[in-house]
Amino acid sequence: MAGYDYDLFVIGGGSGGVRAARVAAALGKRVAIAEEYRFGGTCVIRGCVPKKLYVYASQFPEHFTDAAGYGWTVPEASFDWQTLVANKDKEIARLEAIYKRNVEGSGGETFHSRAVLVDQHSIYLQAEDRTVSADQILIATGGRPAPHPALSGHEYCVFSNEAFDLKELPKAIMIEGGGYIAVEFANIFHGLGVDTTLVYRGQEILSRFDMDLRRSLHETMEKKGIKILCPAVSEWVRKTPEGRLDVLLSSGQTLTVDQVMLAIGRIPNTENMGLEGVGVELSKTGAIVVDKYSRTNLDNIWAIGDVTHRVQLTPVAIHEAMCFIETAFKGNPIAPDHDTIPTAVFSQPEIGTVGLSEDDAVKRFPDVEIYRASFRPMRHTLSGRDEKMLMKLVVDGASRKVVGAHILGPDAGEMAQLLGIPLKAGLTKDDFDRTMAVHPTAAEELVTMYKPTYRVKNGERI
Ligand code: NDP
């Protein structure tokens, strides 16, 4: 569109925004992208990437212990938090530069600025104090940790953003929440030697996962020494004269810790962006409302990723970006497919899962077959580590389709990625049975569970 400065202006330089900007620019569109903080967004700067690095860091003590069974004598190990943080920062800075360079290399323009909508085609760039215009606008501003203003003393608490860069590793931490972030960080801090307590309001952690996995992970985490208190919530947080924090729980128990971390969900970044003024519809929770093609109620304004509060996962935002490009610039409308998304929780042991949990499958199908194996993985035989691996396939008895696959144990995330393919393709248990095992692996169990462990017929376990 010749009348505008740009064909596409993207607000937000995270995974979704950068992908859309880069691909549109590569198509020859005149593209600009504004990011007020750091290119890379939550995933790269203060989410998935640093988290995974910290998971690796936190696993070393177990490796050192396990080495003895394999004949190794490992001298007493010590850990330096500041070294980990500094090395993480170096890696993040490298990735941040790549993200920015990828857009520029494709011909897009990048701005380090907050961007505010002025009207349906105009964007004010705060850092530059000027307004630019664009034919199409894509909002990909992501989200941030949900605050907890109702908690007295919430100002003493940290969120995942700060947890990566604490000045010192705390001696004791309390983490509130029972979702991905709370569970992953509880394992990270515990692994790094921190006395860790997880406080969750429900009956069992990880409410959206298969109950078998939830129970088994809970048990294993407790065995490692992580304290899990549920159901409970914190009532107040107070500073002690020694500079520590007292936390009163709904159970009546008081904890004294050095840090309290809240991980109670995430909220979309939609404030002070001019959205209301321009008339972009927001949901009650502040998320941008979009149709199935990621278009807002205004026909040239689109939104993808966490800001739309659909599925808060990086690969989903990237997929939504690719669908947006097809729809807006290639005359090939494609709605993002949010069905059967494989996912992992980088707890220790890890969870990898795709499809329906047993409980959800039972609600949907009258005859469900469960194939379940619980065993000690080979790597734990010589190490003597008392940790079981759990594998579970959920099968619709009528169609024989595998509708859920759930794994708890080493490399479960890697397996979930591959299991995503047969489940997405709608393959049957017979297809799994026909597949040759790879021996000796843990994953071979997935193709050698020939007989159902039990069936659930019309809600009744047989
Ligand atoms: P989640 O939605 O996973 O979990 C939030 C947790 O906080 C739940 O246990 C919830 O309880 C609890 N909670 C909510 N409100 C309150 C409250 N007022 N008081 C006490 N507890 C409360 O959010 P996270 O913050 O852990 O993560 C955000 C999203 O980021 C995830 O949903 C996920 O999509 C993504 N993510 C993905 C990762 C991965 O792929 N490995 C890693 C980290 C994040 P209840 O269950 O009862 O509602």
Side-chain angles (χ1 to χ4, degrees), residues 42 47-48 51 144-148 150 160 176-185 199-209 214 232-234 262-267 306 309-315 342-347 351:
T42 300
C48 327
K51 180 274 307 291
R144 62 183 187 280
H148 197 350
S160 53
E176 176 135 24
Y180 283 83
I181 295 179
V183 168
E184 290 180 342
F185 270 94
V199 173
Y200 172 50
R201 67 178 177 181
Q203 296 293 335
E204 187 54 279
I205 55 170
L206 291 173
S207 57
R208 282 169 286 171
F209 290 78
R214 296 165 64 189
V233 289
S234 43
L262 302 177
I264 57 170
R266 294 178 61 84
I267 56 170
D306 286 5
H309 218 281
R310 287 178 282 184
V311 182
Q312 300 170 309
L313 295 171
T314 300
T343 181
V345 182
F346 294 99
S347 44
I351 280 181

Side-chain angles (χ1 to χ4, degrees), residues 20 58-59 102 106 133 181 198 225 298 321 349 379 392 453 459:
S58 67
Q59 288 171 336
N102 279 347
S106 304
S133 63
I181 295 179
L198 186 65
L298 304 179
R379 72 155 77 165
K392 184 168 172 181
T453 314

Side-chain angles (χ1 to χ4, degrees), residues 60-112:
F60 281 96
E62 286 196 353
H63 296 329
F64 297 147
T65 310
D66 291 354
Y70 287 91
W72 290 93
T73 305
V74 180
E76 200 188 332
S78 65
F79 171 69
D80 184 51
W81 169 251
Q82 274 76 20
T83 303
L84 174 65
V85 174
N87 288 346
K88 176 268 294 177
D89 285 344
K90 246 187 268 165
E91 174 59 8
I92 299 310
R94 187 183 73 85
L95 294 174
E96 179 188 7
I98 291 175
Y99 264 64
K100 191 161 174 276
R101 218 168 39 230
N102 279 347
V103 176
E104 291 165 353
S106 304
E109 208 174 327
T110 56
F111 293 105
H112 264 292

Side-chain angles (χ1 to χ4, degrees), residues 6-197:
Y6 301 103
D7 299 317
L8 171 66
F9 197 99
V10 181
I11 306 179
S15 302
V18 163
R19 174 60 67 94
R22 179 164 71 75
V23 177
L27 287 175
K29 304 292 171 193
R30 294 169 306 144
V31 176
I33 180 169
E35 165 60 51
E36 68 172 340
Y37 182 54
R38 297 176 68 182
F39 279 91
T42 300
C43 173
V44 172
I45 307 298
R46 46 196 178 189
C48 327
V49 174
K51 180 274 307 291
K52 192 82 188 274
L53 296 174
Y54 282 22
V55 168
Y56 288 135
S58 67
Q59 288 171 336
F60 281 96
E62 286 196 353
H63 296 329
F64 297 147
T65 310
D66 291 354
Y70 287 91
W72 290 93
T73 305
V74 180
E76 200 188 332
S78 65
F79 171 69
D80 184 51
W81 169 251
Q82 274 76 20
T83 303
L84 174 65
V85 174
N87 288 346
K88 176 268 294 177
D89 285 344
K90 246 187 268 165
E91 174 59 8
I92 299 310
R94 187 183 73 85
L95 294 174
E96 179 188 7
I98 291 175
Y99 264 64
K100 191 161 174 276
R101 218 168 39 230
N102 279 347
V103 176
E104 291 165 353
S106 304
E109 208 174 327
T110 56
F111 293 105
H112 264 292
S113 173
R114 185 164 180 82
V116 178
L117 290 183
V118 179
D119 63 39
Q120 214 174 320
H121 290 281
S122 309
I123 307 107
Y124 174 67
L125 295 171
Q126 249 168 25
E128 311 243 329
D129 191 22
R130 68 184 173 104
T131 300
V132 296
S133 63
D135 179 26
Q136 304 293 314
I137 295 172
L138 176 68
I139 302 166
T141 45
R144 62 183 187 280
H148 197 350
L151 175 65
S152 160
H154 64 93
E155 64 276 17
Y156 301 125
C157 304
V158 296
F159 296 91
S160 53
N161 288 354
E162 296 82 31
F164 288 114
D165 296 302
L166 295 174
K167 285 212 168 62
E168 280 171 29
L169 188 64
K171 288 204 165 42
I173 193 166
M174 185 206 104
I175 302 177
E176 176 135 24
Y180 283 83
I181 295 179
V183 168
E184 290 180 342
F185 270 94
N187 283 279
I188 289 171
F189 280 118
H190 169 76
L192 296 178
V194 179
D195 178 6
T196 304
T197 308

